[in-house]
Amino acid sequence: SRSVLEATAPGVPVLAVIPSLRWTPEPITLSEPLGAESEAFRTLRTALDFASIDQQVEVVQVTSASAEDGKTTIAANLAVVLAQAGRAVALVDAQLRRPRIHHLFDAVDGLAGGFTSAVLGRAELADAVRELDLGNGRLWVCPSGPLPPGPAELLGSKQADRFFESLRDSVDIVIVDSPPVLPVADALVLSRMADATLLVANAERTRSDELTDALDALD
C-alpha cells in the first residue's frame, strides 16, 4: 500500500499505485485507453509533472530493485500516456541483457537498428527508432538493438552520453526502460544520465529490504 511504501522509504514521494493489469499483447493504454487501468497511468503522468515542477525533467529512468517487478510495463504505458497528452516522447529499451520493449509494439524489431547501433555509430538516430502516431503527440520507440558483451561499459560510454543528448534535443521527454538495480550495475550507470528515476515496487514480489537497498544504491 501507499502507507507501507511511505514508511519503508521516508521522504521519497510515492507517485502512483498501479493496479494489477490483465495481460494484453500491447500496452493497455493503447488497447484500452479509456479503461480504469489506463487512468492509473494518467495519474502517474500527472504526479510526475507535479513532482518535477521545480526542475526540468527531460530523461526519466524507470527501474526496480529486482527483475520481473513490472518496470517495462510501467515504462511503456507511461510513454504512451505522455504521447497521448500531446508530447513528443522517446521510449528507449536500455535493458541490454534481457530487452522487452519490442515485444509490446508490433511495428518494432528488437534487434534491428536500435539503441546499441546508434551508440556504436552504426545507425543514425532516425534509423534507430520507430515512430508511432498517437494522435496528439508522437512516440518514438527505440529497441535495444544487438546485445553487447559488456552492457555496463557501453552504457557508461561517452557515445551513450551523446545519444541521450541527441534525444533531449529531439523530443520533449525520454523514458528509459532500465535494468534492475540490485543484480547488475547497469541501472546505476544509467542513473547519472537521468534527471529523475522512478523505482517500481511490486506488491507481490518486492521485499522491503530490497527496496531500501535499491534506494540506497541509487542515492
Side-chain angles (χ1 to χ4, degrees):
S1 67
R2 182 183 292 269
S3 60
V4 168
L5 287 173
E6 289 172 345
T8 304
V12 178
V14 179
L15 297 187
V17 177
I18 306 296
S20 296
L21 303 178
R22 293 171 288 105
W23 184 88
T24 56
E26 62 181 354
I28 200 162
T29 47
L30 280 180
S31 59
E32 299 180 31
L34 301 180
E37 294 95 339
S38 295
E39 184 61 31
F41 286 103
R42 286 191 285 273
T43 299
L44 173 59
R45 179 187 68 198
T46 302
L48 179 62
D49 287 340
F50 277 106
S52 59
I53 194 168
D54 288 329
Q55 65 185 93
Q56 189 171 16
V57 173
E58 296 178 336
V59 177
V60 177
Q61 174 188 20
V62 182
T63 187
S64 61
S66 301
E68 305 293 340
D69 282 346
K71 60 190 173 301
T72 298
T73 299
I74 300 295
N77 283 284
L78 176 59
V80 169
V81 295
L82 285 165
Q84 289 170 340
R87 303 186 198 181
V89 183
L91 173 62
V92 178
D93 193 343
Q95 293 204 71
L96 303 184
R97 300 172 194 267
R98 192 185 175 197
R100 302 291 300 168
I101 286 293
H102 62 283
H103 291 298
L104 297 174
F105 298 91
D106 288 339
V108 177
D109 183 341
L111 299 180
F115 173 58
T116 56
S117 295
V119 170
L120 293 172
R122 297 174 182 170
E124 297 296 327
L125 179 60
D127 298 323
V129 301
R130 303 294 178 270
E131 184 174 352
L132 306 179
D133 186 354
L134 299 184
N136 291 334
R138 293 179 300 143
L139 176 60
W140 290 2
V141 179
C142 182
S144 66
L147 302 186
E153 289 76 11
L154 186 141
L155 293 171
S157 67
K158 293 180 180 178
Q159 293 95 319
D161 281 338
R162 286 195 286 268
F163 172 83
F164 283 107
E165 287 302 320
S166 296
L167 278 183
R168 284 178 186 268
D169 295 337
S170 303
V171 299
D172 298 323
I173 188 167
V174 182
I175 304 297
V176 183
D177 184 26
S178 164
V181 173
L182 298 182
V184 292
D186 304 10
L188 301 182
V189 173
L190 276 168
S191 68
R192 68 185 179 82
M193 304 178 197
D195 304 313
T197 296
L198 300 186
L199 186 64
V200 176
N202 187 303
E204 295 181 349
R205 298 179 60 91
T206 306
R207 300 198 313 265
S208 60
D209 61 320
E210 291 177 337
L211 187 64
T212 301
D213 289 346
L215 286 166
D216 287 345
L218 287 166
D219 188 55

